[in-house]
C-alpha cells in the first residue's frame, strides 16, 4: 500500500509532467478520477514491460527491435558510466504500448499572456501541463479550457519520468515503443533527458527542470557522438540541430515580441490586433525558412498551423534556461558529478535565488 501511495503522488505530478475556475492560472489537480487514470495507466504500462535481456533472448523478437534494444542498453550504460546519471533499473525493461505516445499533455495560456496555466499537487508542487494516458480525455480537457477562454493545445509525449522515486525494479521507468525506433541521436537524448529528472528536480519550476534535462541531453549526446566512428551521424545531427536552433530562434523572437506586447499598456483591442499581425508574420517567416533554407521540409507545418500562446509558452519552458545550464557545465570544469551536484544545490534554493544564480555570466562564481 505504501508503494501505491507513492505511485499516486509521483504519477499525479509526472503525468501533469517530461480545473475549476477560468479566472485562476493555478489550480489544484488533486481529483480522484484524474488520480485513478494516472495510477491505472502507469500500472498497465508496467505490466506490459519485460526485461530487455528477456526480449533479446526471445527468438520471436524482430531484428530491427533487437538492434534498437541493444543500442538502448549501450546508451543506458553510457549514461551512468560517462554522464554520472543514475545507475538503476530505469530503461532496462521494454514495453510495447500499441499507441504512438506514452501520454498526451494539455497546456494552456490566457489569450493575452504567455504564462502557462499550472496544476498543483500536494507534496510535489506545481507543473505547467497535465497529462493523460487517453488522448480523448486530454482533448476533452483542452476543449473545456478553450470554452473558458484559454488557448490550449494537446501534444503527444513519447516518455515521462517518475523521478526515480518508486521502490523496486518493477516500478522503474521502462523503454517504450513510442520512442525506441527513432534516430539513434533522438533515443540517446531521450534517455539522457529522462534520467536527468531523477538527479535534480525543483518543485513547481517547470522551466528549471526541463531546461536542465534538455541541457544534459544536448551536451551528453554530443559527447556520445564524439566517441569515434560516427562521422556520418555527427554530420546529420549537426544539420538537424542547426534547423532546430533556427526554429527555436525564430519562435523565441516571436515570443519576446508577444510578451512585450502583452505587458504593455495598450488597450486589449489593440493587443489582439497586433497579436494577430505578429502571428501572421511568424507563419510567413517560417514559410520562407521552410521553402528557401530547409529544402521544403514540412515537418513543422502542423506546429505553425496551430501556434498560440500555449505552444509558445511550453516551448520556452523547455529551452529558456538551457544556455545557463550549458554555462554552468563549463563553469564546473565539464565535470558531470560536480555539475549535477551544483544543479541539486540550485534546485533546493528559492526560485528567485535560483534564477539569479543561473543568470550569472560564465566568469562569475555561483557560490
Amino acid at each position: 500500500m505504501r508503494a501505491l501511495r507513492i505511485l499516486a503522488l509521483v504519477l499525479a505530478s509526472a503525468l501533469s509532467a517530461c480545473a475549476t475556475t477560468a479566472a485562476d492560472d493555478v489550480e489544484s489537480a488533486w481529483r480522484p478520477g484524474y488520480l485513478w487514470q494516472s495510477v491505472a495507466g502507469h500500472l498497465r504500462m508496467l505490466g506490459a514491460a519485460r526485461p530487455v535481456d528477456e526480449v533479446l533472448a526471445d527468438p520471436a523478437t524482430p531484428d530491427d527491435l533487437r538492434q534498437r534494444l541493444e543500442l538502448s542498453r549501450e546508451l543506458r550504460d553510457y549514461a551512468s558510466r560517462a554522464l554520472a546519471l543514475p545507475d538503476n533499473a530505469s530503461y532496462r525493461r521494454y514495453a510495447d504500448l500499441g499507441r504512438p505516445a506514452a501520454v498526451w499533455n494539455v497546456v494552456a495560456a490566457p489569450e493575452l499572456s504567455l504564462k502557462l496555466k499550472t496544476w498543483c499537487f500536494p507534496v510535489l508542487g506545481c507543473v505547467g501541463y497535465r497529462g493523460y494516458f487517453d488522448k480523448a480525455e486530454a482533448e476533452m480537457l483542452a476543449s473545456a479550457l478553450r470554452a473558458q477562454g484559454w488557448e490550449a493545445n494537446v501534444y503527444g509525449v513519447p516518455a515521462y519520468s517518475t523521478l526515480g522515486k518508486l521502490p523496486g525494479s518493477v516500478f522503474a521507468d521502462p523503454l517504450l515503443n513510442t520512442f525506441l525506433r527513432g534516430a539513434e541521436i533522438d533515443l540517446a537524448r531521450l534517455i539522457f533527458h529522462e534520467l536527468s529528472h531523477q538527479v535534480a528536480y525543483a518543485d513547481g519550476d517547470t522551466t528549471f527542470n526541463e531546461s536542465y534535462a534538455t541541457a544534459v541531453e544536448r551536451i551528453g549526446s554530443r559527447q556520445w557522438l564524439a566517441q569515434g566512428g560516427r562521422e556520418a551521424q555527427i554530420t546529420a545531427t549537426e544539420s538537424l540541430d542547426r534547423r532546430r536552433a533556427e526554429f527555436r530562434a525564430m519562435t523565441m523572437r516571436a515570443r519576446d515580441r508577444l510578451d512585450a506586447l502583452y505587458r504593455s499598456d495598450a488597450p486589449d483591442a489593440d493587443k489582439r490586433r497586433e497579436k494577430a499581425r505578429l502571428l501572421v508574420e511568424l507563419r510567413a517567416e517560417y514559410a520562407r525558412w521552410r521553402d528557401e533554407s530547409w529544402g521544403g521540409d514540412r515537418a513543422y507545418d502542423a506546429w505553425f498551423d496551430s501556434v498560440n500562446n500555449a505552444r509558445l509558452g511550453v516551448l520556452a519552458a523547455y529551452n529558456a534556461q538551457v544556455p545557463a545550464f550549458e554555462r554552468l557545465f563549463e563553469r564546473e570544469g565539464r565535470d558531470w558529478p560536480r555539475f549535477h551536484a551544483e544543479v541539486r544545490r540550485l534546485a533546493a534554493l528559492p526560485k528567485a535565488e535560483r534564477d539569479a544564480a543561473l543568470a550569472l555570466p560564465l566568469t562569475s562564481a555561483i557560490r
Side-chain angles (χ1 to χ4, degrees), residues 272-290:
R272 291 187 181 97
R273 282 192 293 270
E274 181 62 7
K275 171 188 175 182
R277 188 191 70 78
L278 288 172
L279 290 179
V280 168
E281 188 177 272
L282 172 61
R283 292 188 182 99
E285 182 182 8
Y286 160 66
R288 287 193 298 273
W289 276 101
R290 180 194 64 201

Side-chain angles (χ1 to χ4, degrees), residues 230-271:
R230 294 184 170 86
E231 287 75 11
Q233 291 181 45
I234 291 173
T235 300
T237 299
E238 287 175 346
S239 176
L240 179 61
D241 283 350
R242 280 195 299 272
R243 185 170 302 182
R244 288 174 174 173
E246 290 161 353
F247 166 77
R248 288 193 298 270
M250 184 191 317
T251 52
M252 288 303 98
R253 285 194 298 271
R255 184 192 182 282
D256 290 345
R257 293 181 189 124
L258 286 168
D259 189 50
L261 171 66
Y262 297 153
R263 293 176 184 275
S264 74
D265 295 328
D268 284 356
D270 291 349
K271 290 181 180 180

Side-chain angles (χ1 to χ4, degrees), residues 20-240:
T20 52
T21 64
D24 296 332
D25 64 356
V26 178
E27 165 184 338
S28 173
W30 196 247
R31 301 286 186 272
Y34 179 74
L35 179 59
W36 171 247
Q37 74 89 32
S38 300
V39 173
H42 189 70
L43 289 177
R44 283 194 296 270
M45 182 181 71
L46 294 177
R50 300 163 60 197
V52 167
D53 289 346
E54 179 183 312
V55 180
L56 287 173
D58 188 342
T61 299
D63 288 343
D64 60 340
L65 176 57
R66 189 183 307 278
Q67 292 171 4
R68 303 307 288 179
L69 289 173
E70 289 172 347
L71 171 62
S72 75
R73 188 163 56 180
E74 185 180 351
L75 288 166
R76 181 64 187 81
D77 291 342
Y78 181 84
S80 297
R81 182 181 71 254
L83 309 183
L85 293 170
D87 186 6
N88 56 26
S90 296
Y91 307 110
R92 299 191 186 279
R93 296 185 305 147
Y94 170 71
D96 187 336
L97 303 181
R99 59 178 188 262
V103 295
W104 284 267
N105 277 353
V106 181
V107 290
E111 179 192 11
L112 297 176
S113 172
L114 291 164
K115 184 179 180 182
L116 291 177
K117 180 179 179 65
T118 57
W119 285 269
C120 297
F121 300 86
V123 181
L124 294 174
C126 304
V127 290
Y129 39 95
R130 179 163 167 155
Y132 287 87
F133 283 98
D134 187 329
K135 185 180 181 181
E137 291 187 29
E139 294 287 3
M140 286 176 59
L141 174 60
S143 295
L145 289 168
R146 293 184 191 111
Q148 296 172 11
W150 296 89
E151 295 187 356
N153 283 108
V154 174
Y155 61 94
V157 179
Y160 62 88
S161 173
T162 53
L163 311 182
K165 293 183 180 294
L166 299 178
S169 60
V170 70
F171 288 116
D173 297 323
L175 296 161
L176 302 173
N177 68 293
T178 55
F179 61 80
L180 194 64
R181 296 177 186 268
E184 175 179 325
I185 189 63
D186 290 332
L187 177 58
R189 287 174 171 173
L190 188 142
I191 290 174
F192 301 162
H193 183 109
E194 297 303 333
L195 285 172
S196 301
H197 287 311
Q198 299 184 20
V199 175
Y201 189 84
D203 290 352
D205 195 339
T206 299
T207 298
F208 178 90
N209 296 327
E210 296 301 342
S211 294
Y212 161 59
T214 299
V216 171
E217 72 169 68
R218 291 183 191 171
I219 300 168
S221 62
R222 289 195 293 267
Q223 184 175 310
W224 161 263
L225 288 175
Q227 291 181 110
R230 294 184 170 86
E231 287 75 11
Q233 291 181 45
I234 291 173
T235 300
T237 299
E238 287 175 346
S239 176
L240 179 61

